[in-house]
Every structure is written in structure tokens, then in C-alpha cells.
Amino acid sequence: CGQERGVAQGEATFLGLRLSHVGKGFVISAKASSACVQDGVSAPITVKGRLVFAMQPSDTDVGHAVKVVVHVQDSQGRRVETCDTLIAVAIKPQSPSMSLGGGKSTRMCHAGEVAFDDLFIDTPGAGYVLTATAKDLTGIVESCESKPFTMTARLIIVQEPRDMQVGALFAVGVKVQAANGEDVNTAAPHVSLSLSREAAGGVLKQVVNGIITKRAMRGEASFQELSVEVPGTGYVLIATSESSFIASARSAPFAVHGALAFTTPPPSQMFMGATFCTAVQVHDDWGRRFAGGATAITLQLDEASPHGRLEGNNSIRLERSEALFGSLMVPHAGRQFRLKATTDNEAIAPAVSPPFDVTAKMYFEQSPTKVNVSESFAVRLCTKYPDGTRYKDQYDVTLRLAKECRGALLGDLTQMVDADGWVMFPAVCVDTPGSGFTLEAISSNTGMLPATSHKFDAIANFVFLQNPQTHVAGAPTGATVAVHDVHGKVVPVNAEVSLSLPAAASPSSEDSGLVWPGLFAAQVVNGIAECPDIPLSGPALGLTLQATCPANAAIQPATSSPFDRTARLAFRELPAVVEAQSELTVEVVVRDCNDEIMVLATPQVHLQIRDDPDAAFTGVQLCGQVTVQAVRGRALFSGVYFNTAVHKGLLTARCVDNAAISPVTQGIDARAYLRFATQPQGPVDVNSPFGCRVQIVSAAGAQLRAQTPLRLELQAGASSGVLAGLVSRGGTESDGMFSEAVFAGLSIDCPGAGYVLTATAVNNEAVVPCTCEPFDVTGTLCFAEGIPATDVSDAFSTTVEVVDYQRQRVPKAQGRVAVHLLDHEVGSATPQSTWHELVDGAALIDGIRIDTPHAQHVLCAVGDRPVVLAAQSAPFGITAQLRFCPPPRTTDTNAPFDLAVEIVDCHGRRVLSSASDVTIALRKRDSPPGTLEGGLVQSIGTDGTAQFTGLTIDSPGKSFVMTATSSVLSIPQCCSPIFHSTARLSIEEAPSDGIPVWSHFSIKVVIRDANLHKITTVRPTIRLRFKEGCPSQRLGGGSISQRVQDGEAFFGELLIDTPGVYIVVAQADNEAIECAFSLPFRVEGSMVPSAAPAPESPPRIVLQSNVA
């Protein structure tokens, strides 16, 4: 630049020129020092360069940024520091992914260099290549490619396996993840699962389809229903990818547990010395069979087993997942033996077999056949193997009687086996007589089976210690019997002795009238039976008793010494009370001094009724056959009856043909019954007359005639009322006999529940009183006066009284009265649960407050007794007022706002219990056009307020008034203070900056709310003007005043005649709509030249000199 050269032969040469920029269209100008030589310019020149990655991308994790630096160089490899151009970096096609994220991939090159340090590639892969291109110098600056690089990632196991049972199903999830922990959803490699080589030879199995290699979808692979088939510890699950740029993952070590199980347990019972087999397998918790690997199974007796040892081959390796043990033997007797199977694999739990018993049998070699009680005898036993040899190991034997045998075995009853295998009991005896005794031999070793001897008998004898003595007939007969052993001592046995009369020694009952039950049984206690009263009756001579034991034939019978017994009318089972007019059977028997019936007596017996001086005994007769002949000592009177009620009667039976037989007399009553033929029909109003009828009847219900006055009275314990009217009635017929009494004009003067009338016969206890069904006498509550309308905060009082059927107060009414609101009404009355005592049948209830306004409240008065019927008051009103809290304020059109309406009393206090709805609305006559929207009906909450949220007004305007109306008619409507709804104009289309003066333009104005939504509900008129201070206030062309249509106004064909900067103001005739200002814009004027300039001469390329 600025080089000078001399002209030689009309030409100057410039060598070694260099341009410091790249680009095209460079022109070199040449200027001569002589003014006579015109300047010249060269043809356009293009200077090319190339892009080079000064810092190549390196292998990077997908979670880290890819960093590169690009230089602009010339052909000599020098950086072109004057080059400023846009450089774009992209991924070369055929790369694993074309998605390049992070920062901007196109950046401005400064001083020939640009750095990209925040680029991200979200897909792992190998062979990525970046390309760099100059955006503005395409074809001038050559693009370049980077060296291939790799984007790496890693696998993670998101659901690692834990310790599990062999064969148990588990699931594993594998994800592709970047180094920063973020999931790589774009990766889709094939993922394979395997177990580590040191994992005890386990096999990973996918039980559904055998596939443990899957392709990841969106960076995740899920493996379901996996299982490990061999127990072991230290398993590690490895997840690997087919792609080398995705690192594998290893799980934490886990164990796979199994358990040994006896598939063929030992027999539950075997004889000592017998061999047996068993089998052991590896199972899971559900009993499925699995391989156990190369492991040995060892059997031994469990620690809880009895003392002993296991003989045979007890250690075997698993073959085909099962170990078979044969020819095992336990050479000891015992119960609850258990085998324990163990293995050298700590992941396989040991197993304990079910219990089994090893038994041996004892034999009686010497036992008795028949012995006397308390007489000693010897016993010998032994235990044998199956081959007959005696078992000589140490064990003890205890001798006892079998459980079904009574008595005890005495002597040294526990012996040890001797060296020859014998167990000897030299002297034992039985202390109780009996037949079929058996001996049992048992051992403390429960494996020794008990032995039972042959049956044998133990003999004893009955002896009469006290013989029956001769005595007067009718006196008790006594005797004492004992059981003796062979030594004459009493055997303390408990049994039953039967006493009988031997047939040869007993006199005939036809001759003596002897009565004998056949057998008399008594209890033998500790060897002695006391028989103080043996049931013999009638005279007899030379009697003997025989004592036998039916239940024990081993006790021999005995016979007593001979003894003698030496020889009036009576009612038999005559009831003291019978029913009148009901047939009865009277049996009269002839008895001896022992009160036994003399079956040979046949006298003629007569019955008659006699009166007691204190009894009501008028018109009583005994009807039927009253004289009969006795047969075998019995006279039976059938079908006799009393014609009416009898009180304190005396029934006498006498012998007609034998004065030596004394008569018998017994008191008897014949009952009759009173019956209410008509019952009082309850409930009965207090003081209201009612009546009833009472009849005298038999037990069968037939009416009887009797001369007995009847009386009615209230049963004791009923309410405190008094029975008034005719309460006593006597006979009405000529003979004074009657069968029915009528009671009329009865009344009760006090309400009460369970009144019962009792009808009784005066001075005749044989007539059974009767009671009517319980009935109620009711009164009715009544409000003495009406209840006026009251404010919700004010208290009022009322009087409640009890009245009868004529609406007259009942002074004797007692109890308590309370008032409450009807169940279907809202709110509650205070006090509601306070009871007020009735005084002279009335109660004053004051201090009543109702906490809920309502137009038709009704009070209900109830008593604490059901016989006092409830009453309702006439409807009355409880008033309150509505109030906005706080009142609505100025708001934007369509902007949601909240408000609350509360119910207050006349003092301004909030009413907290009013179950009503409140409706709000705009008052049309005072408010501009507009609609209130939202939840306009809300219920009063427990805090006494109705909350309205999300309310909107769809039109702007001034002086809105809102009303609140309650669903309760007694609450008047309220109005809110005046509030406003605002909107704003928006100039949507305005003249652009720099418009020429006198050129036409247009303006569009839109009415919008706070959310910039168009408002179409109003149609104000909008006028355009310039803001004060503009160069001109004259806006010409079209109309500057338009009426809004669909929320917008369009002003066209406008023009301005004066240049300058202007601001247009749009103003509506609605004060609630804010005006709008346009952005400042410039109106320009221009000057027109008088002549166009001459075209420039074409440039000259060659420098020439004027030779002349």
C-alpha cells in the first residue's frame, strides 16, 4: 500500500504485493504523480483461504462438552488475523448421529480464530467427524473436517439383584448413562447379562424365552423373570454392551440360597435294629427341585434327638441333584429321633427330617393268674431284638396296673435291667379286689413299648358288721356291710353293694302285704357301707338280707342273720288348690303304721265338703260320684268337681262300713278367675271418661256365678294419678249371685305411662284377681302464646303447658319440658338440652336464642315422658343481614377477583351457623352494561361467610353496584358500594417510521383487558388526535372518529401535511377505558434535484502517458 515505482517504457511493475484479507472483488488503483495521467484500477481480485481445526475433538463422554478451535489460514498455513466471518460447525453425514446440541454451532470468527467449547453430542458412538464451513465466504474459504473421535457412555444396573432363593424370579433394569449421571435416551445398544466367573458355577436363566440379550430402547433395557438355578454366594451380575464405547456394569455381590429337603424321610416308626433308607434334595422355598453343584451331603442325628448313634454310610455327594442313603440303622430305642442333613455349601441351608421313633418291645416271662387281695406275688420281664436275643443296655422298668383297673399295685415298682437282660419284681401285691386285672410295664425310655400281662383276679369277701334287728313295723331297718381281705382286715375299696331278700327266706307278699323294691343299693366307702334305712314295709317274720357286688364279682357275697317286722284313710297326692268346675281325680288309700298301702283292704269310702267358719261358703257343692269301693287298698274318685269358687274348704274322706279306719280331712280351695271382658283402650286422654267390664270365669273360660263384690283400683307403682268414677260393684240378681260387673265413667287426672287396673274380689281369696293390659294416659304440650320475629342475636321466652282433651291445663302434670328446632330445620336453639320443671302443669322457658336466620322456624316442645305428647309452635322468623367483607374494588375487565359476603346480626357480629346460599349479581338499574361471571351462588361456610372466587366482569364501566341475596327469606338483600371495571386501548397498526409527508397510512385500535384479550362486549366511540407538542395538530385524510365493531376500530386513508416526529393518541368516550399512545414516528419531506448527474466514465486499466 502506497508503493511507488518509476515508469519505464510506459510501464511500472509492482512485485511482491500481498493482501492481508480473504475475499473477492478486491480492486487495486494506480495513480500517477502527473495530473495529466488519469488514474486506473485493476480487475477484481479474489483472495482464497482455508479452515483448519487448530484443536481437534478428542474422545469425550456424552455428558461432557466437545471442544474444538478453528483457524482461518492462507495458502502458506498462516492464520489470517484480519478475517472476521461466520464459521459453522456440524457433524459429517454417515456419523452415528447428526444431533449436535449445546451452544451455538455457528459463531463469528475474530482475528482468524473461533472456539467452540460447549457443544454436546447426546448419542454414544465411534467415528464421529466434525466439519467447519465459512458461511459468508463459501467458495473462497475452503471447509475442513476433523479427525474421527468417539463419544462414550456407560451402563448402570438400576435394579440390582439382592439375596434370593434359588430359582426365584427377579427383574433387572439396565440403563445407558453419561458420566454426569444423566440418562442417554438416544442410545440403543444390545445389552447382555452374565454372571461373573467366580460365582460358584451358577447359570443365569431367563425362564420365559431364554434370551438374556436385549436391545435397549430409549437408553434402557428391562430383563424380566430371571433366575439362578444353583445356590451359592458371591454372585455378581455383569451387564455388557456390544459396543466398545459403552462401558459395562457390575452389580453388588449377592447370594442365592437353597435348602436341603428330605424327599424320602425315614419311616415314622421302626423297630430297634431295623435298617432304613432316605433321600435328600436341594429345594427352594416352594419345594421345587434344583441342582446343588458338586457338594457332599452328611447325615447325623439332630442335637434334639435322644441319646444314640447313626450307623451306615452317612456322607454322599449329590448325583443329579439328589443324595440317596441306604442301609442306615439306629441301634437304640427312643422317640422323636431326627436326622440332620448338612452340606459344605454355606448358601444351602441344612434340613431336619420329620421325627421318627425307634421302638423295642418288652415281654412278661412270669405273671399271676389269680391272687388274694394284699397277697404278694413275683413278676419277671425282658426286652428282645427281632432275632430273639435279649436287649442288655441299661434301662428302667416301672410296673403298674392298667388304666382300666381300679386300685393300686403295691411294692417296689421300679427296677433296672440286670446284666443278663432280666427285670425282676420279687414281691408286689394288689390292694383292691377285682376281675380282669392286667399289669403294664413301662420304661422312662419312651421308645420301649409297654408290655401287658395276662388277666388275673384279686379276691375279697363281704361281711355283715351290723345285722338288721327286730323292730316295730314302720321303724327304719338298718345294717352295716364291710369288705375284708384274706387277713380279715377292711379293704378300703369304693364300690356299690346290693341288698336283696333271698327267695327262700322271704314271706309271701299276699300273706303279709310286704313291699320290697327288689334290690337296694348302697355305696361302699373305704371298704364299709352304712345302710341306716332299708326300704322294707309291712309285717313279716324271719327275714334275711343278702349283700352282693354286681359290678365286682371278685367280692364274695354275704347273708345277714334273721330278723322280724310286726302290723288308717289317707289322701294320696290331693292338691291344695283345684280349679272350679274342673273335674279332678281324688285317690284315697289305706296305709299301715309304716305309711304303706295295705293292698288287701277293700272298704267303702265317702267324700264330702265341709265349711270353715271363716270362709265365704255360700252355695258351694261337690258334684259327681262321691262314694266308691276301695280296690287293693285304693279308692279312686273320678269326675268330681266344685260348682263355684271355694275358699278354706275342708274335704273329708271316711270309711262307711268300718269305723275302725279313721277318717282323713284336708283343706282345699277351688279357684275361679276374674277377667276383663273389655279393656281400657289406650292411650287415654287425661280426664277423659272410659269404662270396662269384669267377669268371673273358670280356668276354661266359662262364666261362673258368685256372691262376691268386685273392686277396681290402680295398681301400686303406676303414675301418681287418681282413679275416679264407679270403682266398686256388687251382685245385681235377686239371689245376690252375679257373673259380670260393669264399670263406667272412669277417669284418671294425671298423665302417665303403664297404668294398670286391678280387679279383685272382696273377702274371697279363691277368686284370682286380674289386671288389664297396661295403658297410657296422655297429656298434650301446648305453647301458651305465639313467638314474634326476632333478630338472630336476641333472646326470647315462651310458656309451655300440659293440657287435657278439652285444652284445659292439667295442674298435676309432672316432669320436665325442653324445646328444640324441628329436625328438618337448619341451625340450633340455645339452650336446647336444658330441661325445665313443670310447675302446676306449665313451664316458662326463657333465654332462647336461635343461631341461624330462617323465615319459617318452628319450635318443638317435648317432655321427658312419652305420655306427654310433643307440640309445635306457629312458624316465626329469625332475621339477620348480609354484608360484603370487604366490598368489591376497582378491577380490570375479565380479570378474576375474589370477595366474601358474611351474615351478621343487628350488632354487626358475624353469624357462624347459617346453612344457606348467597347469590350475587350486578344491579341492572345502577350499573353500566356488563355481565358478572363466575361462581355466583355459594354456600355459607362454618365461619359465617360465603367465599366467591374467580369472579369476572366482561365489560368496562364506571359505577358498578353488586347485590347479595340469601336463600333465607328473612335475610334482606344488601348492596355493595360503587366500584369500576377498567380496560385499555391498544394501537395495533401504526404508521412506520420515515413515512413521506402527504402519504396515506392507516391505524387500528383494539380494546383489550389486562390479559391482552380483545373485549367485544362494548361499542364505544374512539377519536384519534396528536399528542400535545407535535409539529401539527391537524390529522387529515379519513375519519378520525370511529365506533368500535367487534372490539376494534379501523382508521384508513389518514395523512399528515407537515414533516416532524408525531405520537398518535386514541381516546374512547368511555371513561373506564384508558387511552392509548402510539410509538413516535417520523414524517419526512425530500428535495428533488434539477438535473441528473452524468454517468461516470468507465475505469481505465492501463496507465498511459501523453507523449505530446
Side-chain angles (χ1 to χ4, degrees):
C1 177
Q3 296 186 23
E4 294 183 357
R5 294 286 190 272
V7 175
Q9 296 182 357
E11 186 175 293
T13 303
F14 296 85
L15 299 176
L17 300 179
R18 181 170 62 86
L19 291 176
S20 61
H21 291 270
V22 293
K24 64 181 179 178
F26 287 103
V27 176
I28 300 175
S29 64
K31 188 174 182 180
S33 59
S34 174
C36 298
V37 180
Q38 295 182 354
D39 298 340
V41 294
S42 69
I45 301 173
T46 299
V47 180
K48 293 187 177 182
R50 64 179 179 180
L51 298 179
V52 176
F53 281 95
M55 184 174 71
Q56 295 283 347
S58 60
D59 293 346
T60 308
D61 187 88
V62 293
H64 294 161
V66 177
K67 299 179 180 180
V68 295
V69 177
V70 179
H71 284 178
V72 181
Q73 293 182 355
D74 57 14
S75 59
Q76 303 299 319
R78 295 185 295 263
R79 186 173 69 180
V80 182
E81 297 181 354
T82 60
C83 180
D84 293 333
T85 186
L86 288 174
I87 305 297
V89 175
I91 299 176
K92 184 180 179 181
Q94 288 82 45
S95 294
S97 173
M98 297 299 294
S99 176
L100 182 62
K104 294 182 179 180
S105 59
T106 300
R107 299 184 182 181
M108 181 61 71
C109 171
H110 296 287
E113 181 182 44
V114 61
F116 297 86
D117 56 357
D118 55 355
L119 300 178
F120 284 89
I121 299 177
D122 59 359
T123 303
Y128 278 99
V129 175
L130 293 181
T131 62
T133 305
K135 285 288 187 180
D136 298 336
L137 299 175
T138 303
I140 299 173
V141 177
E142 182 182 353
S143 301
C144 67
E145 295 181 357
S146 69
K147 295 180 180 179
F149 63 97
T150 300
M151 298 303 296
T152 62
R154 63 179 181 178
L155 296 178
I156 63 166
I157 300 176
V158 295
Q159 184 181 352
E160 294 193 352
R162 299 179 179 178
D163 292 353
M164 66 187 75
Q165 285 290 321
V166 60
L169 300 181
F170 65 95
V172 171
V174 180
K175 286 186 177 182
V176 181
Q177 198 174 77
N180 59 0
E182 294 183 356
D183 295 341
V184 182
N185 296 330
T186 58
H190 285 87
V191 179
S192 300
L193 296 181
S194 63
L195 292 174
S196 62
R197 294 183 178 180
E198 64 272 18
V203 177
L204 184 67
K205 181 180 180 183
Q206 211 275 0
V207 299
V208 175
N209 51 22
I211 298 174
I212 54 176
T213 298
K214 289 187 177 181
R215 186 175 185 86
M217 304 299 294
R218 296 184 59 82
E220 183 175 0
S222 178
F223 298 85
Q224 304 290 331
E225 298 184 347
L226 302 175
S227 64
V228 180
E229 303 295 323
V230 178
T233 58
Y235 279 110
V236 175
L237 190 64
I238 301 175
T240 57
S241 171
E242 62 179 355
S243 303
S244 60
F245 47 79
I246 298 180
S248 61
R250 296 171 62 91
S251 71
F254 62 96
V256 178
H257 297 286
L260 297 178
F262 283 87
T263 55
T264 304
S268 61
Q269 187 169 351
M270 66 188 76
F271 284 106
M272 181 175 61
T275 60
F276 63 92
C277 301
T278 186
V280 179
Q281 295 179 358
V282 177
H283 281 190
D284 62 3
D285 285 347
W286 296 275
R288 296 178 299 180
R289 177 175 174 179
F290 289 91
T295 183
I297 308 297
T298 301
L299 292 183
Q300 59 186 1
L301 288 179
D302 187 55
E303 295 83 355
S305 299
H307 172 72
R309 66 183 184 276
L310 180 67
E311 295 184 356
N313 185 10
N314 65 338
S315 182
I316 296 179
R317 286 200 169 273
L318 281 174
E319 294 182 2
R320 295 182 180 179
S321 72
E322 185 176 38
L324 299 176
F325 297 85
S327 300
L328 300 176
M329 181 180 68
V330 178
H332 296 275
R335 294 189 182 275
Q336 299 295 310
F337 282 102
R338 286 182 172 85
L339 295 182
K340 183 175 183 180
T342 58
T343 178
D344 53 0
N345 189 341
E346 62 182 12
I348 302 178
V352 177
S353 72
F356 61 93
D357 300 336
V358 179
T359 58
K361 187 174 182 180
M362 296 184 292
Y363 298 90
F364 278 92
E365 297 292 334
Q366 178 183 350
S367 61
T369 57
K370 184 175 182 179
V371 297
N372 289 316
V373 174
S374 303
E375 183 180 5
S376 298
F377 56 90
V379 177
R380 183 175 64 172
L381 302 96
C382 68
T383 302
K384 297 180 181 179
Y385 283 107
D387 59 0
T389 59
R390 287 194 298 274
Y391 179 52
K392 299 181 181 180
D393 282 0
Q394 289 294 313
Y395 65 93
D396 60 353
V397 178
T398 299
L399 200 63
R400 67 181 183 186
L401 289 177
K403 292 182 180 180
E404 63 272 11
C405 299
R406 291 175 300 203
L409 187 66
L410 305 178
D412 191 1
L413 303 181
T414 301
Q415 299 289 340
M416 296 296 295
V417 65
D418 60 15
D420 295 329
W422 293 106
V423 182
M424 298 295 298
F425 297 88
V428 294
C429 65
V430 179
D431 68 345
T432 304
S435 300
F437 279 104
T438 55
L439 297 178
E440 286 186 351
I442 60 174
S443 175
S444 61
N445 185 347
T446 57
M448 308 293 289
L449 299 179
T452 304
S453 70
H454 297 292
K455 294 184 178 181
F456 64 96
D457 299 336
I459 306 301
N461 299 290
F462 271 130
V463 175
F464 276 90
L465 297 182
Q466 177 186 348
N467 284 286
Q469 301 297 317
T470 299
H471 53 276
V472 179
T477 302
T480 301
V481 182
V483 181
H484 281 188
D485 61 9
V486 70
H487 305 294
K489 297 181 179 180
V490 176
V491 179
V493 66
N494 296 330
E496 184 180 88
V497 60
S498 294
L499 299 178
S500 61
L501 291 173
S506 300
S508 173
S509 61
E510 296 180 357
D511 300 332
S512 62
L514 178 66
V515 177
W516 175 251
L519 291 177
F520 173 76
Q523 292 296 324
V524 178
V525 180
N526 291 328
I528 298 176
E530 299 285 348
C531 306
D533 189 6
I534 300 174
L536 289 174
S537 64
L541 300 175
L543 296 174
T544 59
L545 294 179
Q546 188 178 53
T548 59
C549 185
N552 194 343
I555 303 177
Q556 304 299 314
T559 304
S560 71
S561 301
F563 63 96
D564 299 333
R565 290 178 62 87
T566 64
R568 131 190 114 98
L569 294 173
F571 288 107
R572 187 176 185 185
E573 299 180 355
L574 178 64
V577 180
V578 298
E579 302 293 340
Q581 284 194 353
S582 294
E583 294 184 355
L584 66 149
T585 299
V586 179
E587 185 179 1
V588 181
V589 297
V590 181
R591 297 185 181 277
D592 59 12
C593 58
N594 295 315
D595 203 26
E596 294 292 334
I597 300 176
M598 300 182 65
V599 296
L600 300 178
T602 59
Q604 192 176 27
V605 181
H606 177 73
L607 281 182
Q608 66 183 41
I609 185 73
R610 296 190 296 112
D611 59 338
D612 191 314
D614 299 329
F617 207 74
T618 304
V620 178
Q621 295 178 1
L622 181 63
C623 305
Q625 184 179 0
V626 295
T627 301
V628 297
Q629 189 75 33
V631 178
R632 296 184 64 81
R634 294 177 173 85
L636 191 63
F637 298 86
S638 301
V640 296
Y641 63 92
F642 296 98
N643 65 334
T644 187
V646 178
H647 179 49
K648 294 184 180 180
L650 297 177
L651 185 62
T652 300
R654 60 184 177 84
C655 186
V656 176
D657 55 358
N658 190 345
I661 301 175
S662 60
V664 63
T665 300
Q666 183 173 326
I668 192 169
D669 286 350
R671 287 186 303 194
Y673 299 88
L674 294 181
R675 177 180 68 185
F676 277 91
T678 58
Q679 302 268 354
Q681 298 299 318
V684 177
D685 286 333
V686 63
N687 293 328
S688 174
F690 64 93
C692 62
R693 292 188 296 120
V694 180
Q695 296 176 346
I696 304 175
V697 295
S698 65
Q703 286 187 244
L704 301 179
R705 299 175 71 251
Q707 189 182 23
T708 302
L710 302 183
R711 181 174 61 243
L712 280 182
E713 57 187 7
L714 286 177
Q715 193 178 66
S719 300
S720 59
V722 176
L723 180 65
L726 182 59
V727 296
S728 182
R729 196 70 183 265
T732 59
E733 299 182 12
S734 59
D735 58 354
M737 305 287 284
F738 71 98
S739 61
E740 181 178 87
V742 179
F743 299 87
L746 303 175
S747 65
I748 299 176
D749 62 351
C750 182
Y755 277 105
V756 177
L757 294 181
T758 302
T760 58
V762 181
N763 298 327
N764 192 345
E765 297 179 4
V767 180
V768 179
C770 71
T771 58
C772 70
E773 295 293 332
F775 64 96
D776 297 340
V777 177
T778 60
T780 305
L781 292 175
C782 177
F783 285 88
E785 66 276 342
I787 301 173
T790 308
D791 188 77
V792 72
S793 64
D794 293 340
F796 61 92
S797 62
T798 186
T799 300
V800 179
E801 59 185 9
V802 181
V803 297
D804 59 14
Y805 74 107
Q806 294 179 337
R807 309 296 289 179
Q808 298 297 318
R809 181 187 295 182
V810 181
K812 294 184 65 174
Q814 299 176 352
R816 296 180 298 171
V817 178
V819 296
H820 62 83
L821 289 175
L822 280 182
D823 293 340
H824 65 276
E825 298 289 350
V826 295
S828 61
T830 305
Q832 181 172 357
S833 59
T834 301
W835 293 93
H836 299 265
E837 292 290 341
L838 286 170
V839 178
D840 292 334
L844 175 63
I845 303 175
D846 55 3
I848 303 174
R849 285 184 173 87
I850 299 179
D851 60 358
T852 303
H854 197 274
Q856 294 288 321
H857 272 304
V858 175
L859 278 183
C860 182
V862 295
D864 62 346
R865 302 182 182 181
V867 294
V868 178
L869 304 181
Q872 296 180 8
S873 70
F876 61 95
I878 297 297
T879 63
Q881 289 82 36
L882 293 177
R883 183 173 68 186
F884 286 92
C885 58
R889 296 181 176 86
T890 298
T891 181
D892 285 322
T893 301
N894 292 330
F897 64 94
D898 302 338
L899 60 82
V901 177
E902 61 181 356
I903 296 182
V904 296
D905 57 17
C906 61
H907 304 289
R909 296 187 295 260
R910 183 180 292 176
V911 179
L912 297 181
S913 57
S914 177
S916 63
D917 295 335
V918 176
T919 302
I920 60 174
L922 294 178
R923 192 162 68 176
K924 298 298 183 182
R925 59 175 179 165
D926 296 325
S927 299
T931 303
L932 179 64
E933 297 178 348
L936 305 183
V937 180
Q938 297 294 335
S939 297
I940 295 294
T942 57
D943 59 349
T945 64
Q947 301 292 333
F948 296 86
T949 60
L951 300 176
T952 59
I953 297 178
D954 64 350
S955 299
K958 292 281 187 176
S959 303
F960 280 101
V961 176
M962 191 178 296
T963 62
T965 306
S966 173
S967 60
V968 177
L969 298 180
S970 62
I971 301 177
Q973 187 184 73
C974 76
C975 297
S976 71
I978 294 174
F979 65 99
H980 312 307
S981 174
T982 62
R984 55 200 49 80
L985 296 177
S986 174
I987 298 178
E988 305 286 326
E989 294 181 6
S992 59
D993 193 28
I995 65 172
V997 69
W998 293 104
S999 64
H1000 290 91
F1001 61 91
S1002 61
I1003 293 176
K1004 184 172 74 172
V1005 181
V1006 181
I1007 304 176
R1008 296 193 181 275
D1009 57 17
N1011 297 321
L1012 300 184
H1013 297 150
K1014 184 190 295 185
I1015 299 176
T1016 61
T1017 57
V1018 292
R1019 298 183 58 195
T1021 299
I1022 299 177
R1023 185 176 181 277
L1024 299 181
R1025 62 180 177 85
F1026 290 126
K1027 186 179 178 182
E1028 295 181 1
C1030 291
S1032 174
Q1033 291 296 319
R1034 187 170 66 248
L1035 180 62
S1039 174
I1040 60 174
S1041 179
Q1042 296 285 347
R1043 189 172 181 84
V1044 173
Q1045 297 288 339
D1046 292 331
E1048 60 184 37
F1050 184 78
F1051 301 86
E1053 299 296 326
L1054 300 177
L1055 57 86
I1056 301 174
D1057 59 357
T1058 303
V1061 177
Y1062 289 87
I1063 296 177
V1064 177
V1065 179
Q1067 186 172 1
D1069 59 358
N1070 189 335
E1071 295 180 1
I1073 302 177
E1074 299 175 3
C1075 58
F1077 296 87
S1078 70
L1079 294 175
F1081 61 94
R1082 187 174 63 253
V1083 176
E1084 298 178 346
S1086 60
M1087 292 191 301
V1088 179
S1090 57
E1096 296 181 354
S1097 300
R1100 293 165 58 186
I1101 303 174
V1102 180
L1103 296 180
Q1104 296 179 351
S1105 62
N1106 191 343
V1107 179

